[in-house]
Amino acid sequence: VNMARIYIDLNGHSRNTYQNAGTYSIACSEPERIENIDLIALLEGLQAESSSNESNADFIINFRKQIEATMSQGQTVSFAFNTLNESYQYIARFPLLYSFIVMRNFKTLTGLQWAINL
């Protein structure tokens, strides 16, 4: 490892972050706080709203809409989430398929896996 190169890359930054030793890192000067998403409250709200007459497809589409509304509350998370979803706008005319794509993007950003009991 060329220590001079590392010093040059980090020069001027006050923070450096990484997940695992030996992998890449990200240097940043202005860390930005990302607020937590209250996923439990969101899920409890969905459970209260869902009715026995709602189809599985409708439940998934409504769940996606709730996730989109929740993710739009944080500036940084909102920007990343919307950017991921924008490239799939042409699929939005198929609401169920689009819902699965949006939920995949949610998992990509948050690491949270979702499952639906059908």
Side-chain angles (χ1 to χ4, degrees):
V1 174
N2 185 340
M3 295 306 285
R5 176 71 184 156
I6 292 172
Y7 175 77
I8 291 169
D9 289 346
L10 295 177
N11 190 22
H13 294 285
S14 58
R15 302 282 191 274
N16 187 49
T17 184
Y18 63 96
Q19 283 187 319
N20 296 315
T23 62
Y24 70 92
S25 66
I26 298 174
C28 51
S29 298
E30 298 294 329
E32 184 176 338
R33 181 180 177 92
I34 298 175
E35 295 298 327
N36 291 334
I37 298 169
D38 191 353
L39 189 59
I40 299 298
L42 172 67
L43 293 173
E44 288 172 349
L46 281 173
Q47 184 177 7
E49 290 176 16
S50 71
S51 68
S52 59
N53 298 330
E54 185 177 43
S55 72
N56 289 335
D58 289 338
F59 176 81
I60 292 168
I61 292 165
N62 290 331
F63 184 68
R64 182 250 309 162
K65 290 177 181 177
Q66 290 291 323
I67 291 295
E68 287 175 318
T70 301
M71 292 294 282
S72 71
Q73 294 174 8
Q75 288 182 334
T76 302
V77 173
S78 168
F79 177 77
F81 188 65
N82 291 335
T83 300
L84 286 171
N85 293 333
E86 281 174 8
S87 59
Y88 295 99
Q89 283 301 307
Y90 67 97
I91 296 175
R93 66 179 185 245
F94 306 106
L96 186 58
L97 176 60
Y98 182 67
S99 296
F100 282 103
I101 290 169
V102 168
M103 292 306 299
R104 186 201 62 206
N105 292 339
F106 175 78
K107 179 183 180 255
T108 298
L109 286 174
T110 65
L112 297 174
Q113 179 64 44
W114 61 290
I116 296 176
N117 185 10
L118 301 176

